[in-house]
Amino acid sequence: MGGPDGPGQWWREGAAMAGRRGALIVLEGVDRAGKSTQSRKLVDALCAEGHRAELLRFPERSTEIGKLLSSYLEKKSEVEDHSVHLLFSANRWEHVPLMKEKLSQGITLVVDRYAFSGVAFTSAKELQLAEAAARGEFGRERYESGPFQQRALQRFQQLLADPSLPWKTVNASRSIEDVHREIRALSEDAIRAAAHRPLGQLWA
Ligand code: NYM
Ligand code: MG
């Protein structure tokens, strides 16, 4: 999980107007770690406690860019590697105005994948050419093979090793309820910490 902690300028104005802003809570990890389940449960729990919280996910497949990504992931189209990386990025940027607006209104956003997935999955891909293992995974989405997920996990671990980043690691190989309890406690801390801090940048 992470939050916009940096000293950047671009989300500051709205926060000053609304006073108490929402937190940006991002769940990152490999496919099938349980992020979507946990994101939904977290939003439900936060709303039940009286927080204003909403769920977002990336890729957000409903936009024009999102449809291109969905078709690519479902192996219905081919997109050059650099281009598809930029499409994933564009898909996040096209939501930034809405996200800034909601955060500055005091709404906490729980986000199922964000920019770290962009880094981890693209950089895992650079190592992929040596292996043709994905063939056995026909019918599943692109990237959803064991070896590819291993490389993505390695990339996430390398990114998390940077102590200046506000991520918390959650062991996802426990029961849904145990994982939920931990994520919920971490999120409550994050919401408290974010409330009076100006909006910064996720990644300077
Ligand atoms: N993915 C996701 C990327 O490759 N780059 C990105 O920037 C993002 C946000 O999309 N295997 C990959 C990781 C997933 C795939 O995501 C679909 P999901 O959460 O399964 O819909
Ligand atoms: Mg998936």
Side-chain angles (χ1 to χ4, degrees):
M1 298 202 308
D5 277 9
Q9 293 292 332
W10 44 287
W11 288 7
R12 189 156 285 172
E13 227 167 279
M17 279 157 48
R20 238 179 116 86
R21 70 165 173 95
L24 178 63
I25 296 170
V26 178
L27 275 70
E28 287 282 17
V30 294
D31 283 283
R32 310 223 160 118
K35 296 178 301 302
S36 303
T37 303
Q38 292 296 335
S39 305
R40 281 194 298 271
K41 279 181 78 73
L42 179 60
V43 169
D44 290 348
L46 292 175
C47 289
E49 284 162 15
H51 292 286
R52 292 161 74 206
E54 294 182 16
L55 179 63
L56 295 176
R57 88 259 348 120
F58 291 98
E60 169 48 64
R61 302 186 191 215
S62 64
T63 65
E64 291 304 312
I65 293 168
K67 285 175 196 156
L68 293 173
L69 289 168
S70 193
S71 154
Y72 171 78
L73 287 167
E74 290 168 12
K75 302 177 188 169
K76 291 177 184 157
S77 63
E78 296 298 321
V79 183
E80 193 274 337
D81 289 339
H82 302 79
S83 298
V84 85
H85 179 78
L86 293 174
L87 287 177
F88 277 110
S89 176
N91 184 232
R92 287 186 289 274
W93 278 108
E94 67 181 341
H95 288 87
V96 165
L98 177 77
M99 292 170 73
K100 284 163 62 174
E101 178 65 26
K102 289 193 185 274
L103 289 169
S104 65
Q105 287 169 359
I107 299 169
T108 283
L109 298 178
V110 175
V111 188
D112 182 355
R113 294 192 188 282
Y114 203 58
F116 274 54
S117 278
V119 176
F121 279 80
T122 293
S123 59
K125 209 170 184 177
E126 287 158 10
L127 304 173
Q128 191 190 21
L129 297 174
E131 293 170 39
R135 288 289 133 77
E137 310 286 329
F138 187 76
R140 292 212 220 151
E141 283 203 335
R142 218 179 275 270
Y143 308 153
E144 291 189 348
S145 75
F148 193 93
Q149 295 289 319
Q150 267 304 324
R151 288 193 296 274
L153 178 61
Q154 264 174 33
R155 294 311 201 201
F156 276 122
Q157 285 165 344
Q158 284 164 1
L159 290 167
L160 290 174
D162 181 343
S164 72
L165 294 170
W167 294 92
K168 310 279 181 223
T169 306
V170 174
N171 172 7
S173 47
R174 294 171 296 161
S175 75
I176 289 178
E177 286 308 322
D178 283 354
V179 174
H180 172 62
R181 251 190 303 281
E182 185 176 348
I183 291 180
R184 188 164 160 176
L186 290 167
S187 299
E188 281 157 7
D189 292 346
I191 290 170
R192 256 192 308 277
H196 300 290
R197 206 164 50 204
L199 285 169
Q201 283 176 210
L202 178 68
W203 204 333

